[in-house]
Amino acid sequence: MFCKQLLSRALTRPIFRSFSQAHVIVPQPQFDKPLVLPVKKRPNVMKVIERESISRANVDGRSDLFIRRAAPRDRLCAGDIVTVETKNSMAEGAATSSFTGVCIAIYRRGIDTSFILRNLVQKVGVEMRFLAYSPLVKRIDIVHKGVGFRRAKLFYLRENPGKTFQLKLLRKAGK
Amino acid sequence: MKSRLNVIDNSGAVVAECIKVLKNAKWAEVGDEIVVAVKKARPISEAMSSSMSAAKIRKGDVRRAVIVRTKKEIRRPDGRYVRFDDNACVLLNNQQQPLGSRILGLVSAELRFKNWVKVVSLAPRVV
């Protein structure tokens, strides 16, 4: 029939005839294969993407530091003394700089998880906020677990530091 | 009220007040040049003033300065943020060189990217 011929022609021909194939950019998949996730009836797409991107960024097990339900001795808590080593650039063999400080805040936002470290460097308070899963962050080490901090956000340390920054680890890092 | 900054060089000024931001913007960040009026300065003894060849900064002088630390967090290209506990500046002369011979305190690494080479080299610590 004439309709059938028209339909078959429409299906076999390319849709945009005025464009040449070279101008069409077909997006390539970013990763060759997806991660194997537990089978769930209706997975939330954004949660799946978040979990996959965290697994890919989690090269040295640092995501264990940010699991909310882990025991306080295994996870990063407000009040811990942390050293972060960052690469200065994405180039191969770039120099690293490190920063040590008391963790005063943790923002758990999936792949955008970040934390703020505070220390007194040359008697001036310096706070640095690091993105946990940044490729520039080489290592996150908990040097000393905090004792006696009962808050999730320790912004009061800006005005009332007490003896928090008198620890040898912090003073050495602050020179 | 205009922003007050601590002056962290040995020019003699202690506190400066920003009276003009020298770029077409409402506020200046680390590494930007500003015009300051010195609000507090170290007293200059008579003996020192006769021997010293460097400029003597008095209260009320209007000078240019470069911001080296801000209390407002600065975003680095990799997503890091840095915040200091105070606002600080270093006074400059007309050739955009630091007026003092020493910088007493830490400065932000942003100065390196904005080409304040002399300031960065004089600073004892750059974060």
PDB file of all heavy atoms in Angstrom, chain B residues 13 16-20 22 34-39 56-65 91-94 99:
ATOM      1  N   ALA B  13      52.063  51.627  60.029  1.00  0.00           N
ATOM      2  CA  ALA B  13      50.606  51.673  60.181  1.00  0.00           C
ATOM      3  C   ALA B  13      50.146  50.402  60.876  1.00  0.00           C
ATOM      4  O   ALA B  13      50.765  49.342  60.728  1.00  0.00           O
ATOM      5  CB  ALA B  13      49.952  51.796  58.814  1.00  0.00           C
ATOM      6  N   ALA B  16      44.102  50.274  58.998  1.00  0.00           N
ATOM      7  CA  ALA B  16      43.784  51.131  57.851  1.00  0.00           C
ATOM      8  C   ALA B  16      42.322  50.960  57.508  1.00  0.00           C
ATOM      9  O   ALA B  16      41.741  49.907  57.749  1.00  0.00           O
ATOM     10  CB  ALA B  16      44.661  50.745  56.661  1.00  0.00           C
ATOM     11  N   GLU B  17      41.741  52.001  56.952  1.00  0.00           N
ATOM     12  CA  GLU B  17      40.321  51.951  56.580  1.00  0.00           C
ATOM     13  C   GLU B  17      40.234  52.082  55.076  1.00  0.00           C
ATOM     14  O   GLU B  17      40.796  53.010  54.493  1.00  0.00           O
ATOM     15  CB  GLU B  17      39.598  53.105  57.265  1.00  0.00           C
ATOM     16  CG  GLU B  17      38.091  53.039  57.114  1.00  0.00           C
ATOM     17  CD  GLU B  17      37.419  54.213  57.805  1.00  0.00           C
ATOM     18  OE1 GLU B  17      37.616  55.352  57.351  1.00  0.00           O
ATOM     19  OE2 GLU B  17      36.723  53.983  58.792  1.00  0.00           O
ATOM     20  N   CYS B  18      39.513  51.191  54.456  1.00  0.00           N
ATOM     21  CA  CYS B  18      39.397  51.217  52.997  1.00  0.00           C
ATOM     22  C   CYS B  18      38.499  52.364  52.580  1.00  0.00           C
ATOM     23  O   CYS B  18      37.362  52.473  53.060  1.00  0.00           O
ATOM     24  CB  CYS B  18      38.814  49.885  52.507  1.00  0.00           C
ATOM     25  SG  CYS B  18      38.443  49.887  50.754  1.00  0.00           S
ATOM     26  N   ILE B  19      39.011  53.228  51.701  1.00  0.00           N
ATOM     27  CA  ILE B  19      38.163  54.322  51.253  1.00  0.00           C
ATOM     28  C   ILE B  19      37.819  54.232  49.781  1.00  0.00           C
ATOM     29  O   ILE B  19      36.963  54.945  49.288  1.00  0.00           O
ATOM     30  CB  ILE B  19      38.790  55.701  51.588  1.00  0.00           C
ATOM     31  CG1 ILE B  19      40.193  55.814  51.005  1.00  0.00           C
ATOM     32  CG2 ILE B  19      38.826  55.913  53.087  1.00  0.00           C
ATOM     33  CD1 ILE B  19      40.803  57.171  51.229  1.00  0.00           C
ATOM     34  N   LYS B  20      38.490  53.342  49.056  1.00  0.00           N
ATOM     35  CA  LYS B  20      38.156  53.190  47.650  1.00  0.00           C
ATOM     36  C   LYS B  20      38.617  51.832  47.167  1.00  0.00           C
ATOM     37  O   LYS B  20      39.706  51.393  47.522  1.00  0.00           O
ATOM     38  CB  LYS B  20      38.871  54.280  46.831  1.00  0.00           C
ATOM     39  CG  LYS B  20      38.356  54.410  45.427  1.00  0.00           C
ATOM     40  CD  LYS B  20      37.023  55.089  45.412  1.00  0.00           C
ATOM     41  CE  LYS B  20      36.425  55.135  44.020  1.00  0.00           C
ATOM     42  NZ  LYS B  20      35.079  55.679  44.046  1.00  0.00           N
ATOM     43  N   LEU B  22      39.827  49.896  43.958  1.00  0.00           N
ATOM     44  CA  LEU B  22      40.377  50.335  42.674  1.00  0.00           C
ATOM     45  C   LEU B  22      40.071  49.409  41.528  1.00  0.00           C
ATOM     46  O   LEU B  22      40.898  49.131  40.694  1.00  0.00           O
ATOM     47  CB  LEU B  22      41.893  50.506  42.798  1.00  0.00           C
ATOM     48  CG  LEU B  22      42.285  51.679  43.674  1.00  0.00           C
ATOM     49  CD1 LEU B  22      43.773  51.665  43.861  1.00  0.00           C
ATOM     50  CD2 LEU B  22      41.849  52.988  43.043  1.00  0.00           C
ATOM     51  N   ILE B  34      43.492  48.587  46.862  1.00  0.00           N
ATOM     52  CA  ILE B  34      42.499  49.517  47.405  1.00  0.00           C
ATOM     53  C   ILE B  34      43.228  50.764  47.878  1.00  0.00           C
ATOM     54  O   ILE B  34      44.449  50.767  48.019  1.00  0.00           O
ATOM     55  CB  ILE B  34      41.723  48.899  48.592  1.00  0.00           C
ATOM     56  CG1 ILE B  34      42.686  48.404  49.678  1.00  0.00           C
ATOM     57  CG2 ILE B  34      40.820  47.774  48.139  1.00  0.00           C
ATOM     58  CD1 ILE B  34      42.007  47.967  50.949  1.00  0.00           C
ATOM     59  N   VAL B  35      42.463  51.829  48.103  1.00  0.00           N
ATOM     60  CA  VAL B  35      43.033  53.040  48.686  1.00  0.00           C
ATOM     61  C   VAL B  35      42.610  53.046  50.145  1.00  0.00           C
ATOM     62  O   VAL B  35      41.443  52.822  50.462  1.00  0.00           O
ATOM     63  CB  VAL B  35      42.502  54.305  47.977  1.00  0.00           C
ATOM     64  CG1 VAL B  35      43.130  55.541  48.586  1.00  0.00           C
ATOM     65  CG2 VAL B  35      42.796  54.241  46.494  1.00  0.00           C
ATOM     66  N   VAL B  36      43.572  53.269  51.022  1.00  0.00           N
ATOM     67  CA  VAL B  36      43.259  53.238  52.458  1.00  0.00           C
ATOM     68  C   VAL B  36      43.687  54.532  53.117  1.00  0.00           C
ATOM     69  O   VAL B  36      44.591  55.221  52.663  1.00  0.00           O
ATOM     70  CB  VAL B  36      43.960  52.062  53.191  1.00  0.00           C
ATOM     71  CG1 VAL B  36      43.468  50.738  52.685  1.00  0.00           C
ATOM     72  CG2 VAL B  36      45.463  52.150  53.080  1.00  0.00           C
ATOM     73  N   ALA B  37      42.995  54.816  54.210  1.00  0.00           N
ATOM     74  CA  ALA B  37      43.402  55.908  55.086  1.00  0.00           C
ATOM     75  C   ALA B  37      43.873  55.252  56.369  1.00  0.00           C
ATOM     76  O   ALA B  37      43.193  54.403  56.934  1.00  0.00           O
ATOM     77  CB  ALA B  37      42.214  56.826  55.355  1.00  0.00           C
ATOM     78  N   VAL B  38      45.051  55.641  56.827  1.00  0.00           N
ATOM     79  CA  VAL B  38      45.611  55.017  58.019  1.00  0.00           C
ATOM     80  C   VAL B  38      44.890  55.569  59.244  1.00  0.00           C
ATOM     81  O   VAL B  38      44.808  56.781  59.438  1.00  0.00           O
ATOM     82  CB  VAL B  38      47.131  55.303  58.101  1.00  0.00           C
ATOM     83  CG1 VAL B  38      47.698  54.761  59.379  1.00  0.00           C
ATOM     84  CG2 VAL B  38      47.818  54.681  56.907  1.00  0.00           C
ATOM     85  N   LYS B  39      44.357  54.668  60.038  1.00  0.00           N
ATOM     86  CA  LYS B  39      43.581  55.091  61.208  1.00  0.00           C
ATOM     87  C   LYS B  39      44.393  55.000  62.485  1.00  0.00           C
ATOM     88  O   LYS B  39      44.124  55.662  63.455  1.00  0.00           O
ATOM     89  CB  LYS B  39      42.328  54.211  61.341  1.00  0.00           C
ATOM     90  CG  LYS B  39      41.289  54.519  60.312  1.00  0.00           C
ATOM     91  CD  LYS B  39      40.708  55.884  60.523  1.00  0.00           C
ATOM     92  CE  LYS B  39      39.765  56.277  59.435  1.00  0.00           C
ATOM     93  NZ  LYS B  39      39.284  57.653  59.563  1.00  0.00           N
ATOM     94  N   LYS B  56      57.706  57.420  56.402  1.00  0.00           N
ATOM     95  CA  LYS B  56      57.115  57.367  57.725  1.00  0.00           C
ATOM     96  C   LYS B  56      55.607  57.457  57.559  1.00  0.00           C
ATOM     97  O   LYS B  56      55.114  58.434  56.997  1.00  0.00           O
ATOM     98  CB  LYS B  56      57.621  58.527  58.580  1.00  0.00           C
ATOM     99  CG  LYS B  56      59.071  58.369  59.003  1.00  0.00           C
ATOM    100  CD  LYS B  56      59.712  59.697  59.256  1.00  0.00           C
ATOM    101  CE  LYS B  56      60.086  60.350  57.934  1.00  0.00           C
ATOM    102  NZ  LYS B  56      61.273  61.198  58.039  1.00  0.00           N
ATOM    103  N   ILE B  57      54.934  56.471  58.038  1.00  0.00           N
ATOM    104  CA  ILE B  57      53.481  56.468  57.911  1.00  0.00           C
ATOM    105  C   ILE B  57      52.890  57.029  59.184  1.00  0.00           C
ATOM    106  O   ILE B  57      53.204  56.571  60.280  1.00  0.00           O
ATOM    107  CB  ILE B  57      52.973  55.036  57.665  1.00  0.00           C
ATOM    108  CG1 ILE B  57      53.639  54.440  56.417  1.00  0.00           C
ATOM    109  CG2 ILE B  57      51.480  55.018  57.536  1.00  0.00           C
ATOM    110  CD1 ILE B  57      53.243  55.088  55.133  1.00  0.00           C
ATOM    111  N   ARG B  58      52.061  58.033  59.009  1.00  0.00           N
ATOM    112  CA  ARG B  58      51.418  58.640  60.167  1.00  0.00           C
ATOM    113  C   ARG B  58      49.930  58.387  60.077  1.00  0.00           C
ATOM    114  O   ARG B  58      49.404  58.050  59.030  1.00  0.00           O
ATOM    115  CB  ARG B  58      51.674  60.148  60.166  1.00  0.00           C
ATOM    116  CG  ARG B  58      53.083  60.489  60.438  1.00  0.00           C
ATOM    117  CD  ARG B  58      53.186  61.907  60.958  1.00  0.00           C
ATOM    118  NE  ARG B  58      54.490  62.091  61.547  1.00  0.00           N
ATOM    119  CZ  ARG B  58      55.609  62.333  60.859  1.00  0.00           C
ATOM    120  NH1 ARG B  58      55.562  62.414  59.545  1.00  0.00           N
ATOM    121  NH2 ARG B  58      56.768  62.470  61.467  1.00  0.00           N
ATOM    122  N   LYS B  59      49.271  58.650  61.167  1.00  0.00           N
ATOM    123  CA  LYS B  59      47.817  58.514  61.180  1.00  0.00           C
ATOM    124  C   LYS B  59      47.236  59.573  60.262  1.00  0.00           C
ATOM    125  O   LYS B  59      47.620  60.737  60.305  1.00  0.00           O
ATOM    126  CB  LYS B  59      47.315  58.707  62.613  1.00  0.00           C
ATOM    127  CG  LYS B  59      45.835  58.569  62.713  1.00  0.00           C
ATOM    128  CD  LYS B  59      45.352  58.748  64.122  1.00  0.00           C
ATOM    129  CE  LYS B  59      43.872  59.069  64.029  1.00  0.00           C
ATOM    130  NZ  LYS B  59      43.322  59.635  65.209  1.00  0.00           N
ATOM    131  N   GLY B  60      46.317  59.155  59.390  1.00  0.00           N
ATOM    132  CA  GLY B  60      45.702  60.108  58.484  1.00  0.00           C
ATOM    133  C   GLY B  60      46.277  60.065  57.084  1.00  0.00           C
ATOM    134  O   GLY B  60      45.732  60.677  56.172  1.00  0.00           O
ATOM    135  N   ASP B  61      47.369  59.328  56.893  1.00  0.00           N
ATOM    136  CA  ASP B  61      47.951  59.202  55.547  1.00  0.00           C
ATOM    137  C   ASP B  61      46.996  58.424  54.659  1.00  0.00           C
ATOM    138  O   ASP B  61      46.344  57.484  55.092  1.00  0.00           O
ATOM    139  CB  ASP B  61      49.262  58.396  55.635  1.00  0.00           C
ATOM    140  CG  ASP B  61      50.442  59.271  55.987  1.00  0.00           C
ATOM    141  OD1 ASP B  61      50.234  60.481  56.225  1.00  0.00           O
ATOM    142  OD2 ASP B  61      51.552  58.729  56.015  1.00  0.00           O
ATOM    143  N   VAL B  62      46.979  58.805  53.385  1.00  0.00           N
ATOM    144  CA  VAL B  62      46.172  58.070  52.410  1.00  0.00           C
ATOM    145  C   VAL B  62      47.136  57.337  51.500  1.00  0.00           C
ATOM    146  O   VAL B  62      48.011  57.958  50.885  1.00  0.00           O
ATOM    147  CB  VAL B  62      45.272  59.038  51.617  1.00  0.00           C
ATOM    148  CG1 VAL B  62      44.573  58.304  50.493  1.00  0.00           C
ATOM    149  CG2 VAL B  62      44.264  59.676  52.543  1.00  0.00           C
ATOM    150  N   ARG B  63      47.003  56.040  51.464  1.00  0.00           N
ATOM    151  CA  ARG B  63      47.937  55.210  50.709  1.00  0.00           C
ATOM    152  C   ARG B  63      47.190  54.151  49.942  1.00  0.00           C
ATOM    153  O   ARG B  63      46.035  53.877  50.218  1.00  0.00           O
ATOM    154  CB  ARG B  63      48.864  54.464  51.672  1.00  0.00           C
ATOM    155  CG  ARG B  63      49.818  55.307  52.401  1.00  0.00           C
ATOM    156  CD  ARG B  63      51.015  55.562  51.577  1.00  0.00           C
ATOM    157  NE  ARG B  63      51.752  56.679  52.152  1.00  0.00           N
ATOM    158  CZ  ARG B  63      52.779  57.238  51.569  1.00  0.00           C
ATOM    159  NH1 ARG B  63      53.185  56.809  50.386  1.00  0.00           N
ATOM    160  NH2 ARG B  63      53.399  58.225  52.143  1.00  0.00           N
ATOM    161  N   ARG B  64      47.924  53.516  49.039  1.00  0.00           N
ATOM    162  CA  ARG B  64      47.344  52.344  48.374  1.00  0.00           C
ATOM    163  C   ARG B  64      47.778  51.113  49.138  1.00  0.00           C
ATOM    164  O   ARG B  64      48.793  51.104  49.821  1.00  0.00           O
ATOM    165  CB  ARG B  64      47.868  52.263  46.946  1.00  0.00           C
ATOM    166  CG  ARG B  64      47.390  53.423  46.144  1.00  0.00           C
ATOM    167  CD  ARG B  64      47.196  53.068  44.734  1.00  0.00           C
ATOM    168  NE  ARG B  64      46.478  54.118  44.042  1.00  0.00           N
ATOM    169  CZ  ARG B  64      46.228  54.096  42.768  1.00  0.00           C
ATOM    170  NH1 ARG B  64      46.634  53.075  42.029  1.00  0.00           N
ATOM    171  NH2 ARG B  64      45.551  55.061  42.203  1.00  0.00           N
ATOM    172  N   ALA B  65      46.957  50.075  49.032  1.00  0.00           N
ATOM    173  CA  ALA B  65      47.267  48.827  49.735  1.00  0.00           C
ATOM    174  C   ALA B  65      46.732  47.664  48.929  1.00  0.00           C
ATOM    175  O   ALA B  65      45.870  47.834  48.070  1.00  0.00           O
ATOM    176  CB  ALA B  65      46.634  48.833  51.129  1.00  0.00           C
ATOM    177  N   LEU B  91      50.643  47.814  52.789  1.00  0.00           N
ATOM    178  CA  LEU B  91      50.663  49.113  52.115  1.00  0.00           C
ATOM    179  C   LEU B  91      51.600  49.089  50.919  1.00  0.00           C
ATOM    180  O   LEU B  91      52.626  48.396  50.921  1.00  0.00           O
ATOM    181  CB  LEU B  91      51.124  50.202  53.097  1.00  0.00           C
ATOM    182  CG  LEU B  91      50.222  50.465  54.287  1.00  0.00           C
ATOM    183  CD1 LEU B  91      50.734  51.659  55.056  1.00  0.00           C
ATOM    184  CD2 LEU B  91      48.782  50.695  53.885  1.00  0.00           C
ATOM    185  N   LEU B  92      51.238  49.855  49.889  1.00  0.00           N
ATOM    186  CA  LEU B  92      52.038  49.899  48.674  1.00  0.00           C
ATOM    187  C   LEU B  92      52.496  51.314  48.384  1.00  0.00           C
ATOM    188  O   LEU B  92      51.857  52.278  48.806  1.00  0.00           O
ATOM    189  CB  LEU B  92      51.194  49.441  47.483  1.00  0.00           C
ATOM    190  CG  LEU B  92      50.560  48.070  47.528  1.00  0.00           C
ATOM    191  CD1 LEU B  92      49.617  47.930  46.365  1.00  0.00           C
ATOM    192  CD2 LEU B  92      51.625  46.997  47.465  1.00  0.00           C
ATOM    193  N   ASN B  93      53.567  51.415  47.605  1.00  0.00           N
ATOM    194  CA  ASN B  93      53.967  52.748  47.147  1.00  0.00           C
ATOM    195  C   ASN B  93      53.419  52.959  45.733  1.00  0.00           C
ATOM    196  O   ASN B  93      52.667  52.141  45.220  1.00  0.00           O
ATOM    197  CB  ASN B  93      55.486  52.903  47.208  1.00  0.00           C
ATOM    198  CG  ASN B  93      56.211  51.909  46.323  1.00  0.00           C
ATOM    199  OD1 ASN B  93      55.607  51.288  45.448  1.00  0.00           O
ATOM    200  ND2 ASN B  93      57.492  51.747  46.539  1.00  0.00           N
ATOM    201  N   ASN B  94      53.824  54.054  45.092  1.00  0.00           N
ATOM    202  CA  ASN B  94      53.247  54.368  43.786  1.00  0.00           C
ATOM    203  C   ASN B  94      53.630  53.396  42.690  1.00  0.00           C
ATOM    204  O   ASN B  94      53.003  53.351  41.646  1.00  0.00           O
ATOM    205  CB  ASN B  94      53.658  55.791  43.366  1.00  0.00           C
ATOM    206  CG  ASN B  94      53.088  56.816  44.323  1.00  0.00           C
ATOM    207  OD1 ASN B  94      52.109  56.538  45.009  1.00  0.00           O
ATOM    208  ND2 ASN B  94      53.702  57.973  44.388  1.00  0.00           N
ATOM    209  N   LEU B  99      55.510  48.864  50.701  1.00  0.00           N
ATOM    210  CA  LEU B  99      56.172  50.014  51.319  1.00  0.00           C
ATOM    211  C   LEU B  99      57.154  49.552  52.397  1.00  0.00           C
ATOM    212  O   LEU B  99      58.251  50.077  52.544  1.00  0.00           O
ATOM    213  CB  LEU B  99      55.087  50.883  51.951  1.00  0.00           C
ATOM    214  CG  LEU B  99      55.291  52.371  52.049  1.00  0.00           C
ATOM    215  CD1 LEU B  99      55.444  52.962  50.685  1.00  0.00           C
ATOM    216  CD2 LEU B  99      54.080  52.975  52.740  1.00  0.00           C
TER     217      LEU B  99
END
